[in-house]
Amino acid sequence: MTVDIDELRKLFLFERLTDEQLTKLAMSGQVRSYEQNEDIVRQGDPADCFAVLIEGEVQMLSETVSAGTIAMPRTSQPGVYGGATSAYLGDRAPLNYQSTLRATAPSRIFLLPAKKFAHIVAEWFPMAMHLLDGVMSGGRMQREAIDRRQRLTALGTITAGLTHELNNPAAAAVRAVSELRTLIRASRRGLAQLAEDGIPPERLRALIETQEACMEAVGTLPPRTPLQISDAEDELGEALEELGVDDAWDLAPALVNAGFGSVHLEKVRQKVGEEHTPAALRWLSEAIEISQMLGEVTEATERITSLIRSAKQYSQMDRAPFQICDVHDLLDSTLAIFRGKIPPSISVVTDYDWTLPPIPAYGGELNQVWTNLIHNALDAMGEEGTLTIRTAHDEDEAIIEIGDTGPGVPDAIKERIFEPFFTTKSVGKGTGLGLDISYRIVAGRHGGELKVRSVPGETWFEVRLPLRESTAERESRSTALS
């Protein structure tokens, strides 16, 4: 159906156009009638039409992951519009409708093909088109810049935490190695002194066997309270003094750590002879301390190796971007990177479903999602609370939930938290893109869902990811690679 130019002139959108322009507009489009609850344009369909209400009533609806269907107020104002409103951007315009426009009463709609709408805007309003283009492009560039800054800020935070975590075991290893040099030098001198004192070879062998047994005992004894250890050191110190051992109270702690008592002292005296007992016990104490230092070095280097492995897993180095990933490995590597940033009063609870199979995913990007969600949870709780990470799965989806015991997300803003630039943090504390980036990674890159549910004292972000790669996604990725 064609439309009369006088009817178009009544619409506020076209009221300043000339008769010639209105005639061209009327010839470029058409009028169509819609019944109540009939969709005029549908979210996700190709954006090929610009729609203007002539009479009736319409409503804009948007499907979101976090809050379901968001419905704007109904309106019967002639001239309201929807559909391909950004068609004037040409190739940069969205390819699909971003929202659904629905007739909530019998309505007449003026439909203008998107390409003709773009041509008319460019021809009739060149300055306005450039201004609108600038606003859209500038906003997109600003968003990308802040997106990059958000990534760099997150990287800086993680790097600081990793550096702190690496510094502790590295410093422990350096300290232990420094003490080892002194102890090994003293141990050599102790053996030389025993040789000069004429200890028989068979007794020296018995002493070395005792030393090996002591080293094996270090760290394997039943746990004792500090009071029990102190009493054992006092008792052993007195026994060493009775044997004429110099610095008896300095030697006692190391020997007690190896399980030494009065009975063991008597065995050493019998094996090496009374005249060699003081020197033998001093050498044993030094050998036990050397074993302890070696244990500290081993523990520190294993911790460093574990952190580097976690960092490698977190960054997905040496791996294809899209791969079959173990979600638990990704979560654990992210937690390991965060370990130095979690306050002592915040407890971390993991509840993993170990039957969850590996999933096809971009591992590095999912780690960014976990980083954003964990960082937000820690910010929400402050210095005290519980961070909970749990996994599950159904027939088609992996389910990952990250929860905190913070104040919660108010209902008034719950539907906006995934919007770009929306943040509840103070100025300079957040960019408002962390959840937007996470949503785009989960929904856009993986075809999953990101939802939030929250009450005061308990907030959960739920990530759902497909367990299998769809044929369409596989073909799309193959096309992109080729």
Side-chain angles (χ1 to χ4, degrees):
M1 292 170 50
T2 58
V3 61
D4 187 88
I5 64 172
D6 290 330
E7 196 167 26
L8 290 179
R9 186 181 286 113
K10 295 177 183 178
L11 306 178
F12 68 84
L13 201 59
F14 308 131
E15 61 187 2
R16 297 293 183 89
L17 298 184
T18 66
D19 287 349
E20 182 181 354
Q21 290 173 322
L22 287 170
T23 299
K24 183 174 181 180
L25 191 66
M27 294 177 62
S28 299
Q30 62 176 332
V31 175
R32 180 177 169 184
S33 297
Y34 291 87
E35 299 297 327
Q36 185 176 2
N37 295 326
E38 186 178 356
D39 288 342
I40 301 162
V41 300
R42 186 177 292 108
Q43 182 176 346
D45 286 353
D48 53 13
C49 226
F50 178 73
V52 184
L53 175 66
I54 297 177
E55 62 178 355
E57 184 183 72
V58 294
Q59 184 179 36
M60 191 81 72
L61 304 102
S62 297
E63 296 292 336
T64 69
V65 172
S66 59
T69 302
I70 298 176
M72 301 298 291
R74 300 180 182 187
T75 178
S76 57
Q77 171 66 46
V80 296
Y81 54 89
T85 56
S86 302
Y88 58 85
L89 292 175
D91 293 340
R92 288 170 296 162
L95 297 178
N96 304 97
Y97 293 121
Q98 304 299 294
S99 302
T100 295
L101 185 64
R102 179 172 298 165
T104 51
S107 304
R108 293 174 63 240
I109 304 293
F110 176 62
L111 299 177
L112 189 63
K115 290 183 178 180
K116 291 186 178 181
F117 168 63
H119 175 74
I120 287 173
V121 172
E123 182 180 352
W124 294 353
F125 313 104
M127 183 176 176
M129 192 201 73
H130 288 305
L131 288 172
L132 289 171
D133 191 1
V135 170
M136 295 291 290
S137 300
R140 186 180 297 110
M141 290 175 62
Q142 182 185 25
R143 177 172 175 172
E144 291 174 354
I146 295 180
D147 192 344
R148 289 193 296 271
R149 180 182 174 188
Q150 180 88 357
R151 293 172 186 265
L152 289 173
T153 301
L155 178 61
T157 301
I158 295 303
T159 301
L162 180 60
T163 302
H164 174 77
E165 284 293 293
L166 285 171
N167 181 67
N168 289 338
V174 170
R175 183 178 62 253
V177 169
S178 177
E179 293 181 13
L180 271 173
R181 291 194 181 99
T182 302
L183 289 169
I184 290 174
R185 189 181 302 115
S187 179
R188 289 170 179 168
R189 290 175 179 173
L191 278 178
Q193 185 63 49
L194 283 168
E196 290 176 1
D197 292 343
I199 186 172
E202 65 276 6
R203 290 189 172 184
L204 182 60
R205 180 179 294 279
L207 177 61
I208 292 174
E209 290 175 353
T210 302
Q211 175 245 357
E212 291 176 350
C214 289
M215 292 178 69
E216 291 177 359
V218 172
T220 63
L221 298 174
R224 290 178 287 181
T225 66
L227 182 60
Q228 289 174 324
I229 294 174
S230 178
D231 291 342
E233 290 175 358
D234 290 342
E235 181 182 346
L236 187 60
E238 292 174 0
L240 290 173
E241 278 191 333
E242 292 176 2
L243 290 174
V245 178
D246 295 334
D247 301 326
W249 298 100
D250 293 333
L251 303 182
L255 293 171
V256 167
N257 195 42
F260 251 68
S262 301
V263 176
H264 300 87
L265 292 183
E266 181 60 26
K267 289 181 179 179
V268 171
R269 190 181 66 79
Q270 292 175 1
K271 288 181 178 181
V272 301
E274 190 168 347
E275 69 277 17
H276 299 299
T277 297
L281 288 171
R282 178 176 296 279
W283 182 79
L284 272 177
S285 175
E286 292 167 350
I288 292 169
E289 286 193 66
I290 289 173
S291 177
Q292 290 175 324
M293 292 299 104
L294 287 173
E296 287 187 22
V297 171
T298 300
E299 183 179 346
T301 52
E302 286 178 350
R303 176 60 179 157
I304 291 172
T305 301
S306 174
L307 284 168
I308 292 174
R309 188 184 305 116
S310 295
K312 185 176 180 180
Q313 171 70 27
Y314 177 83
S315 63
Q316 296 293 292
M317 286 166 45
D318 304 328
R319 299 189 180 195
F322 191 90
Q323 58 193 310
I324 302 301
C325 302
D326 187 322
V327 170
H328 301 131
D329 287 345
L330 299 180
L331 290 168
D332 286 342
S333 67
T334 305
L335 278 175
I337 297 298
F338 258 104
R339 196 71 63 184
K341 305 295 292 183
I342 300 177
S345 297
I346 289 183
S347 57
V348 179
V349 177
T350 55
D351 180 13
Y352 291 165
D353 176 4
W354 294 108
T355 63
L356 172 63
I359 65 171
Y362 296 92
E365 295 184 19
L366 285 184
N367 278 339
Q368 187 176 4
V369 174
W370 315 144
T371 298
N372 290 337
L373 297 182
I374 291 173
H375 188 271
N376 284 350
L378 295 177
D379 274 353
M381 290 185 289
E383 296 297 319
E384 187 175 358
T386 301
L387 172 69
T388 305
I389 302 176
R390 63 192 185 196
T391 62
H393 71 96
D394 54 24
E395 293 182 359
D396 302 315
E397 293 179 314
I399 304 169
I400 301 91
E401 294 182 306
I402 296 177
D404 66 71
T405 55
V409 180
D411 291 338
I413 66 170
K414 195 176 295 183
E415 64 185 35
R416 298 192 60 199
I417 61 173
F418 293 104
E419 292 180 9
F421 304 114
F422 179 80
T423 178
T424 58
K425 299 176 183 177
S426 58
V427 176
K429 295 293 185 179
T431 62
L433 283 179
L435 290 177
D436 171 56
I437 291 170
S438 299
Y439 173 75
R440 285 188 280 131
I441 290 173
V442 173
R445 295 281 280 171
H446 293 85
E449 292 182 287
L450 176 56
K451 303 178 181 179
V452 64
R453 59 184 188 276
S454 179
V455 295
E458 184 178 5
T459 298
W460 290 95
F461 281 90
E462 178 184 307
V463 177
R464 286 179 171 265
L465 299 167
L467 288 177
R468 287 170 289 277
E469 184 181 11
S470 70
T471 303
E473 289 172 344
R474 190 182 305 111
E475 290 176 353
S476 174
R477 189 162 52 82
S478 299
T479 301
L481 291 174
S482 61

